[in-house]
Amino acid sequence: MTGEGTAADPDSPVGEATTETYTASVIGGTGFTGGELLRILAGHPSFEVVQATSRSADNMTVGRSHPNLRGLDLRFSSPEELEPVDVLFSATPHGVSMERIDEYVETADTVVDLSADFRLPEAALYDEWYDGHSAPEYLERAEYALPEINRENLPGADLIAGGGCNATATILGLKPLVDAGVLGPETGEVVVDVKVGSSEGGAGGGAASSHPERSGVVRPYAPTGHRHEAEIEAYLGLSVSFTVHAVDMVRGASATCHVFPEEPVSKGDLWGAYRGAYADEPFMRIVSGSGGVYRYPEPKSVAGTNHGEVGFELDPGNRRVVVFSAIDNMTKGSAGQAVHAANVALGLPETAGLEFDGLHPVGSP
Amino acid sequence: MTGEGTAADPDSPVGEATTETYTASVIGGTGFTGGELLRILAGHPSFEVVQATSRSADNMTVGRSHPNLRGLDLRFSSPEELEPVDVLFSATPHGVSMERIDEYVETADTVVDLSADFRLPEAALYDEWYDGHSAPEYLERAEYALPEINRENLPGADLIAGGGCNATATILGLKPLVDAGVLGPETGEVVVDVKVGSSEGGAGGGAASSHPERSGVVRPYAPTGHRHEAEIEAYLGLSVSFTVHAVDMVRGASATCHVFPEEPVSKGDLWGAYRGAYADEPFMRIVSGSGGVYRYPEPKSVAGTNHGEVGFELDPGNRRVVVFSAIDNMTKGSAGQAVHAANVALGLPETAGLEFDGLHPVGSP
Amino acid sequence: MTGEGTAADPDSPVGEATTETYTASVIGGTGFTGGELLRILAGHPSFEVVQATSRSADNMTVGRSHPNLRGLDLRFSSPEELEPVDVLFSATPHGVSMERIDEYVETADTVVDLSADFRLPEAALYDEWYDGHSAPEYLERAEYALPEINRENLPGADLIAGGGCNATATILGLKPLVDAGVLGPETGEVVVDVKVGSSEGGAGGGAASSHPERSGVVRPYAPTGHRHEAEIEAYLGLSVSFTVHAVDMVRGASATCHVFPEEPVSKGDLWGAYRGAYADEPFMRIVSGSGGVYRYPEPKSVAGTNHGEVGFELDPGNRRVVVFSAIDNMTKGSAGQAVHAANVALGLPETAGLEFDGLHPVGSP
Amino acid sequence: MTGEGTAADPDSPVGEATTETYTASVIGGTGFTGGELLRILAGHPSFEVVQATSRSADNMTVGRSHPNLRGLDLRFSSPEELEPVDVLFSATPHGVSMERIDEYVETADTVVDLSADFRLPEAALYDEWYDGHSAPEYLERAEYALPEINRENLPGADLIAGGGCNATATILGLKPLVDAGVLGPETGEVVVDVKVGSSEGGAGGGAASSHPERSGVVRPYAPTGHRHEAEIEAYLGLSVSFTVHAVDMVRGASATCHVFPEEPVSKGDLWGAYRGAYADEPFMRIVSGSGGVYRYPEPKSVAGTNHGEVGFELDPGNRRVVVFSAIDNMTKGSAGQAVHAANVALGLPETAGLEFDGLHPVGSP
């Protein structure tokens, strides 16, 4: 299911496709990810959202849950009755989609699932990392959403599985080193230290997510055993030592990857690896020590956008490569990635609906 | 110079105009407001930025100062030599534009100045609130940028003066009450208590703006005598008691206005006043107690957008009307307002380049 | 129940009293206010906490709920069985204390209640602002905790009612003007605009208090009709127009009071009023335009302390006095005030256990 | 210069010593570290500050620079004329103390330097990591301040060199593993990923430290080559791969250390190592998965205190030990450590002046 991330000019508009409109639905529209999908689709030239479901906010306006969407003339409906659509985006908690997948694929030509339910390639991994899988027959059919590593398999896909945000940041940071042969299963320890914002916890919240407890934290919330490890290992082909910290921002995931190559590498090698992987990618930027305040990837620089920033530094003393990778967990790490994948699947311009370039200055986005 | 904020359908595209492209320059491009102009203009279908000037970053890429603009192929040039353009936007500190205004109007057909230099209608006010004015002959020619109160005078204007952010928030909040006769020069005390983000202090900074000192503050920084008072009084026709506080956010201005009408008013009166003023405005929203988390205007809800939110509550016990008005100080309060005014001046669709609707959730934007 | 805030030297140790130790209990120890009480009492030379109750954390260590108290050898016990103590501090939600007050006064010689249950002087006010009162016979017996306005009635009191945090900030800011005759019931509108931190919402939380929704806000959460109005009016003897905003900090309440005196006042008059009221107060500071970054009261400057800061500015143009008052809502606005009152009631040194002077720099404390 | 961190009961008061008062001075009193020293010394029972110097604020009150110290009756004086004192604390920028050290040791019986000037044991390290050393003859005489690793050499020391904050966090986290033989020079890569608050940048600030740019960041500011590496290697006896990130808090440093022991270790081994090292330490806490919101070390839990928290988790799959270490960079990481060391040097109770236990809840402290 892995791809090369090269081929075709992703910016070139794809003729007629752009004049067609696809109907779409969003299942689980009150959550943060559902709201982000609705935001992106509302500005997308080729999608028309005909249904957004919510059990808790049935019949209420979308703008009541997502104040940025107050201008949208759309009300939530019950998830019980699904409208037939061209593309169904599901943003429900993990476990829901695998129960309803038969219904989803009957309802829509293309299903894009943003949960973890179809993102791992084998049922055994769900047994190991989750509580098993109730529809394992769909796993092979599902295509991993991240175009940077799976573009070639997306066109025409009818079931697309969005990546996890921390995994996305890590995979985007390390994949070029794997492809360039700097990093492989035999390399030795790879330490990935991730810092994430509070939106990762979802709209539900709890004591640990309350503002007084969550403000100003540097909190180890998954020291070991984070489920995204399984995804990283599945798509990079190697194990990583993975730790996640909650820090004080709302949107954003930043992965710092410490890599110790077998053979010495030069800065030129690294530039080569990253340019080779991302020079033609419409959403990837290489940011590495260019001077000024923003010399490395930062979640702030990509907040609200579908951009991914990667950068690196070399520690000659002990042959360490430090890789930084920053995304907006809600966009590139979830809803933006899903729309990007849908664009590729349907033959639309890749950047359609995803043109927002972010703000400066911006606080804790 | 005041207008009605009604007339014409601001959303209707204006035929041929949209196919034309105007050249534009941004003077003072490294500052926060200059960066916000560059961001908006980069996504505007009818403007092409041909020059961005900066004394400190001459010949550096725009993206080095503004990381969200890394994808932009543009370098700063010296402010000494100005390119002839259709529209010149000036985002320099107060006092610079009045010195260069002769040159500006020779360089461009339309000049939009975002400083305070032309926003007050009379030279006497500059003597009273600033250090006098060196080009008072331009004051009558300048049109106040805020379309909601001066739309009728903007078409064809060749010198447009952007409003101050705190004044904009206040004027947008109170103007409907003035127009509806609820509020007038004889009404009695009007207290306006404003909360603003750190971007108002500009890119320069200083000890009070450093992160350790500025984080978590509720800091009275202009208890009395804030210069925006002059602007509010000039465009509302009445005096206000005005106090500004710095709070912990980067973008945003929120004005809470306490009004004590001579005659009792009802909620229906208030809805009537605000709907009458803003129902047809493309960027204004009335937000008042609709349930959910976001029941009143909040800067977060409009961060990064050109929207203004107004809302109100009635305090029957003492006949007080509390009006809330929230904007993004960088966008609606400055660069977005400027582009909006330019759109009106040139006959472009009002919302061109200003379609971004904001994010949810978002932290301290 | 009001006092003069003058008399006696509050700093002078009161002989023998300091060598005695009083047993104390904290009812409702897992909440934020309960935790603050436990923190203060743990460092108090004259109190020994023998019981801290919690329904939800029965038998767990205090440090599990309050990480700063990990060093404390104390476990929560059920609130069903109260230990006889010298002083019982109750930090339960409003409504609990009035149900258990008979039991409380049998259990302890001195009861200090931090809820709203006994802070208003008349049952009719509970009918108007709350849901009535189930033990109105105690209202006359209760003494308002704030020593700055009720010191003379606290010695020997057996039921002490802690003030509300927003009311405390407001009363501390305005009382000197009332006492000096600058402000009275006939003065005209007094506008009080309060900004508070998220700890005011308590440990429970909810969607609006979750970090993603609460970060970076300027949120009007009580535009009109806030219950603390009743308390302010009861102890100041005049009506105020009161509005509360949530802002991005955890601890702190800042009241900005806009006053329009009948007769012109001078800065000297104001200094006289505030110095007269607070020169001998151990916890009050007058902070007004002294230069540097911190020229007015700020919650940051008093975070974690029992200090109150007041300051003012004069707006000659319209004869407005702007008064700023800043406290830590958890300390001076609640638990610190309660211990201060207990100190006075028992004849202990007023500052005992309340010596912490705060930090600099400090973020969003 | 290393010690065992065991011996003697550090809590036992040391008889007569406590009744004596030592005169002290603080050189560089307007900086953040200088202010923290003044705060701690003001509450210390055995020190009397007789001089605080500042070039920029000469003759101004200490409270003008540090609002928490408004109650202190002390004015800054010029650093040119030093008062003879028992203990001189120097909190100047790196490079100043080595120039003035002859004068310092003549002025005071005990000199405690908080800069980097004497914290490395050999001049060669200053050549390698700094710009050389102008008074290398003092390096052997200087004792490293951190009592947890150098207690035995502090009594009677006349020159004490405070540790760096990031180094302190790292050393406190890893030293027990070194002492227990889990970690050594041959162990293989040790990755240390540090997150720090903005107070580390000092009071000066700059564009990168301004609130709009610094808010909400996860910013790699020292990907490789951070000077504290030299200190860590000097006191742990092994190399680490060290990377520092700026995150959105004001006070605090959190080190996450990824260790891959040669031989498998158990949780019991780890508890044994940390309990062995810290069970008798008055300021160290082992926090590891005890349930509730705060299950691992967090800077928030120790903000404003001299506590250090360490904790760990074991990753069985790849035999990784993840160690978390959290301190307040201003207190345990600098001024508190300095006073702790002075207490040990003078035979005072170790916790004197350092009893503050922190706050809960607390935001971005």
Side-chain angles (χ1 to χ4, degrees), chain B residues 72 129 167 220-221 244 246 250 255 271 287 303 316 318:
Chain B
L72 209 60
W129 292 88
Y221 89 88
V244 181
V250 171
W271 276 107
V287 179
N318 50 13

Side-chain angles (χ1 to χ4, degrees), chain B residues 117-188:
Chain B
D117 284 9
F118 300 99
R119 65 170 68 137
L120 296 179
E122 293 170 33
L125 290 168
Y126 284 92
D127 294 338
E128 184 184 349
W129 292 88
Y130 292 84
D131 301 324
H133 204 288
S134 64
E137 64 276 19
Y138 284 93
L139 289 176
E140 197 173 355
R141 182 168 159 187
E143 287 296 337
Y144 194 60
L146 202 58
E148 285 81 0
I149 73 162
N150 196 36
R151 180 175 283 108
E152 66 182 10
N153 295 307
L154 288 169
D158 61 358
L159 176 54
I160 295 172
C165 51
N166 300 323
T168 295
T170 305
I171 291 168
L172 289 173
L174 293 178
K175 192 62 167 36
L177 295 185
V178 173
D179 289 347
V182 173
L183 177 61
E186 309 79 22
T187 304

Side-chain angles (χ1 to χ4, degrees), chain B residues 321-348:
Chain B
V321 180
V322 188
V323 176
F324 301 102
S325 173
I327 60 171
D328 183 322
N329 61 307
M330 302 284 297
T331 319
K332 183 68 177 172
S334 186
Q337 177 184 147
V339 173
H340 185 189
N343 285 344
V344 176
L346 299 172
L348 299 169

Side-chain angles (χ1 to χ4, degrees), chain B residues 93-105:
Chain B
H94 302 320
V96 173
S97 290
M98 63 171 79
E99 295 298 332
R100 299 190 70 180
I101 185 64
D102 288 340
E103 186 184 356
Y104 285 178
V105 298

